[in-house]
Amino acid sequence: MTHVFTYGTLMDAQIMADVCQARFQSTPATLSAFRRRRVVDEPYPAITPDASETVEGLLYTDVSLDALKRLDHFEGPLYDRQIVTVIDQQGQLQTAEAYVLRPENIAQLSDELWTLDWFQEQGRSLFVNEYRGFRDR
């Protein structure tokens, strides 16, 4: 079991449950020294190291190995799963895994900010319709 820090579409509890075929407890968390931007022409973001920024997200706790395998498949070759340290809502440091954009894919990152509010209002239906096959993974 491990903790997983999510900062994009997986902050949506239903999408996370659909991908993992399971539900996990979550709490708000912050990742320092990273920036989040939209992937070019996509409704989802990626993160890259950046000492001047922080990323707000959700920390899912005690994620099973089976769910991690599903997440790896879902995230695909755009990202690497890396160990990060986040600060949870109680101010405690937590070790977690997060999907970070691979350096060779940096050209796919736009300068557009990504927010959960924007995703819920404008991007979610596109994402769910375009990526409906993720439920089978």
Side-chain angles (χ1 to χ4, degrees):
M1 300 273 197
T2 190
H3 300 333
V4 176
F5 175 75
T6 64
Y7 55 85
T9 59
L10 295 171
M11 291 172 66
D12 181 300
Q14 188 59 54
I15 291 174
M16 180 70 167
D18 287 346
V19 169
C20 294
Q21 299 294 295
R23 290 195 180 270
F24 301 99
Q25 294 290 328
S26 67
T27 187
T30 303
L31 175 63
S32 296
F34 279 83
R35 67 183 223 147
R36 171 179 50 207
R37 297 294 186 273
R38 279 184 62 186
V39 172
V40 174
D41 297 327
E42 298 293 351
Y44 53 85
I47 58 172
T48 56
D50 185 324
S52 68
E53 294 195 31
T54 60
V55 175
E56 301 296 323
L58 277 183
L59 180 67
Y60 287 95
T61 56
D62 298 326
V63 176
S64 68
L65 182 57
D66 183 59
L68 276 176
K69 289 178 185 176
R70 289 174 180 276
L71 288 167
D72 287 346
H73 184 73
F74 172 76
E75 295 293 357
L78 192 64
Y79 306 91
D80 276 327
R81 182 164 35 104
Q82 297 181 7
I83 296 173
V84 297
T85 301
V86 299
I87 300 173
D88 68 18
Q89 195 172 28
Q90 290 75 36
Q92 300 296 312
L93 293 177
Q94 299 284 344
T95 299
E97 300 199 22
Y99 290 89
V100 178
L101 186 71
R102 291 182 178 183
E104 63 267 24
N105 296 326
I106 196 71
Q108 295 184 49
L109 198 62
S110 76
D111 286 328
E112 289 182 67
L113 295 176
W114 186 97
T115 67
L116 184 59
D117 287 341
W118 172 86
F119 178 73
Q120 297 291 10
E121 292 170 12
Q122 299 179 36
R124 189 179 195 286
S125 61
L126 171 68
F127 180 82
V128 170
N129 290 334
E130 245 182 64
Y131 296 92
R132 61 181 168 256
F134 69 76
R135 288 185 182 90
D136 301 327
R137 295 179 185 194

